[in-house]
Amino acid sequence: MKPIYHYTTVSEALNNLNEMGFTYDFNINENEILKNPHQHEVKHIYRYEGDSDPGDEAIVYGIVSSSGKKGVFVAGFSANSDNQAAIILAKLCIEGSGQCEI
């Protein structure tokens, strides 16, 4: 079983992932995920919930591409989220049969 990381804030999660070598910014380069989703594997996932505002919810993905890029993608997490890259990453977690940990 992969370790599950719990962070107080999104920035703490990002700092720790950065220390583990996840330095590429997939938010800036989300077209890579959109064009070739199956060339990316979600290695780490963390869901952050705001204390009082549902708008403060976020999800942090630690991703490795088939070309060896290790990076992060951060998205808002809500039932009405329409970020296509985040939707694809969530599907990759489901298709990966348990490879993604929250």
Side-chain angles (χ1 to χ4, degrees), residues 30-41:
E30 75 177 52
N31 280 338
E32 293 179 30
I33 296 168
L34 296 172
K35 290 180 181 177
N36 300 298
H38 292 289
Q39 291 182 3
H40 298 84
E41 182 179 355

Side-chain angles (χ1 to χ4, degrees), residues 6-17:
H6 296 281
Y7 304 106
T8 307
T9 64
V10 170
S11 60
E12 185 181 337
L14 292 172
N15 287 338
N16 196 337
L17 287 168

Side-chain angles (χ1 to χ4, degrees), residues 2-69:
K2 293 181 184 178
I4 299 173
Y5 301 98
H6 296 281
Y7 304 106
T8 307
T9 64
V10 170
S11 60
E12 185 181 337
L14 292 172
N15 287 338
N16 196 337
L17 287 168
N18 186 281
E19 290 174 9
M20 292 188 291
F22 291 82
T23 57
Y24 190 74
D25 189 340
F26 281 106
N27 283 90
I28 294 173
N29 302 291
E30 75 177 52
N31 280 338
E32 293 179 30
I33 296 168
L34 296 172
K35 290 180 181 177
N36 300 298
H38 292 289
Q39 291 182 3
H40 298 84
E41 182 179 355
V42 177
K43 293 290 194 176
H44 301 278
I45 185 172
Y46 177 73
R47 181 177 168 190
Y48 175 75
E49 297 180 15
D51 290 334
S52 60
D53 183 0
D56 289 342
E57 295 180 356
I59 191 159
V60 177
Y61 294 95
I63 304 165
V64 177
S65 71
S66 60
S67 66
K69 292 178 188 169

Side-chain angles (χ1 to χ4, degrees), residues 30 33-34 73 81-89 91:
E30 75 177 52
I33 296 168
L34 296 172
F73 185 86
S81 178
D82 64 352
N83 182 300
Q84 290 300 309
I87 292 168
I88 288 170
L89 291 170
K91 287 180 181 178

